[in-house]
Amino acid sequence: MATQMGCSPAAARAARLLLIVLVVAAGTSVAGATYVRYKDPKQPIQARVTDLLGRMTLEEKIGQMTQIERANASTAVIEKYFVGSVLSGGGSVPSEKASAATWQEMITKMQKAALSTRLGIPIIYGIDAVHGNNNAYNATIFPHNVGLGATRDPDLVKLIGRATALEARATGIAYTFAPCVAVCRDPRWGRCYESFSEDTKLVQLMTAAVIPGLQGAARHPTGIPIVAGPKNVAGCAKHFVGDGGTRNGINENNTVLSFHDLMRIHMPPYYDAVIKGIASVMISYSSWNGVKMHENKYLITQILKDKMRFRGFVITDWQAVDKITTPPHKHYYHSIQETIHAGIDMVMVPYDYPEFVADVTAQAKRGAINMDRINDAVSRILRVKFAMGLFENPLPDHTLVDQLGSKPHRELAREAVRKSLVLLKNGKGKKDGKPVLPLSKDAKKILVVGTHAHDLGLQCGGWTKSWQGQSGNDFTGQGTTILEAIKSAVDKKTVIDYSEHPDKGSISKNLDEYDYGVVVVGEQPYAETAGDNQNLTIPGPGPEVIRKVCELVKCVVVLVSGRPLVVEPYLDTMDALVAAWLPGTEGHGVADVLFGDYGFSGKLPRTWVRSVDQLPMNYGDKLYDPLFPFGFGLTTKPAADRS
């Protein structure tokens, strides 16, 4: 067309070149597609954040700050509210016994809805993968953190973090509300099994190991979140801060401590988490000296964000904004303002998201909520999404589905069980103090009893397929009970008598035939407040079973619990006592050590008190008179090494 107007070919080419330069400079490609800086993975993360933030409406920003429950995350809701995050609460699944592929299909549908919005910002899907991807059917269920603390093995914990990340990604999930880095100072607390230890240094050691396992190890500036690749997940250090130090171990209660002691006991694991590039931090329901943590601007903003230079995002716990007041949800409008100004970036509003969005929008428009605070919150959320490559890889990876419950992960869990077992007693005393363990595999007849001997649900504890956990052998998909493991370990000719609650008369009839008995008892599953326990006694019929069997037969008691329980009244009747914690699905790990394929090596991550009257009592206290001290654990050699 230019030559027809009288221009020379050279002039026409120059004109076209100039037009291309001007178009590119204006941000438009020759093909007509708009160049969008935030979509360019070659750009620095902060440049992408700034560019995207500048394009967002108020409604889109508030959407990013909103996390809703899976059951509400329809395509229409995600598109209407520009939802930034979706979660599965404990037990919230796409269908009963859903496969990894079914999980992926659900999340793909949600993600495509998010990508279809004006700016195409992907959602981040979160779940409580606290001892494996524990909501998913067929997942590997690792020992809870208290058991991992007993291993004293950070390399093992890092591998467990990596395996958990793979099993989460197998279901399409890119974000886990883990690790719990609480320092549990009172075993009466219902979340104590989620804590690695009462000892700050041990919690730090494990925190610094599990985060690179989950998120991947990569060099990064301190405080900047880093997720190494699409086989890793974004983590969440919780619950900030002091949740393990509440009065009488009551969940969501008040932690009464000086600032010095708060920083000395409960804060150090968060320093380690920030140094390791943790993506998010979840705030505790609890209070510090009467101030609810969710409205504690001093600790959230001035300490965590400013002093510690944390650059990821801060998230609430489940419906936590409601719990600022008593009764919950009273003055909700004001509670939203308080929490956001305190430094909360993402708000977990599983069900009441329409009210939350409407209230934040109204307050932002009238200036009651500062726009700088909203922009900071959204910037932090976007920073994590960019850092984890979510814009480049928003959809689940179908090639990872076979990672869920894989054989290598189950072998890793079995190793963790072996290393977590703590041998507290091995022999009656000085007169007949011959060690009972390891047990003989070629015994003629043995007795296995107790509520926890043949029950995967009791073995796994809370946060297993459901929030509170449950009893039974048919809901985890895979796994080996302790009874099944014993049967697999002993000689094929060995006769095993099993009874959940044995009759004393029947034991007496066969008394001369039993080489020994294995008693497996402990706590029922629980989570959070439901697990608060002011007496810590062994639940019935455990004590009765111990007495029945151990008074008649040489016995080993295997205690399955999330914390030390009061055992002194029964200790003299036991020949051996093993703390198995909550070992998860791989019961073979228990049998491996009972029968001497491996030696006992675990050490107590917690002080084992004589009675609850001594609580709180922790290692280093001036008045320290435990039944078994922190760090205690008898050792044995593998049977093959014994002379």
Side-chain angles (χ1 to χ4, degrees), residues 445 497 503-514 552:
K445 192 172 186 180
D497 276 359
D503 176 74
K504 195 169 185 177
S506 64
I507 297 175
S508 299
K509 287 180 183 179
N510 297 283
L511 193 58
D512 294 336
E513 299 177 17
Y514 292 128
L552 297 173

Side-chain angles (χ1 to χ4, degrees), residues 264-275:
R264 178 179 62 87
I265 298 170
H266 298 282
M267 191 66 80
Y270 289 95
Y271 277 97
D272 289 88
V274 171
I275 289 168

Side-chain angles (χ1 to χ4, degrees), residues 35 190 202 228 267 337 342 354 396 534:
Y35 171 79
L202 182 52
M267 191 66 80
Q337 182 187 120
Q534 294 300 306

Side-chain angles (χ1 to χ4, degrees), residues 467-485:
W467 176 36
Q468 292 294 325
Q470 62 199 83
S471 175
N473 291 328
D474 60 349
F475 66 91
T476 58
Q478 300 184 63
T480 305
T481 67
I482 294 172
L483 174 64
E484 290 168 337

Side-chain angles (χ1 to χ4, degrees), residues 178-181 211 235-240 269-270 273 278 280-283:
C180 178
V181 300
I211 291 172
C236 180
K238 64 183 189 183
H239 307 83
F240 187 87
Y270 289 95
I278 193 69
S280 67
V281 171
M282 183 181 289
I283 304 303

Side-chain angles (χ1 to χ4, degrees), residues 445-462:
K445 192 172 186 180
I446 63 177
L447 179 64
V448 180
V449 301
T451 49
H452 290 57
H454 189 48
D455 194 310
L456 279 174
L458 303 188
Q459 215 170 277
C460 293

Side-chain angles (χ1 to χ4, degrees), residues 164-181:
T164 299
L166 282 169
E167 297 212 11
R169 285 289 193 170
T171 54
I173 295 168
Y175 177 34
T176 175
F177 307 122
C180 178
V181 300

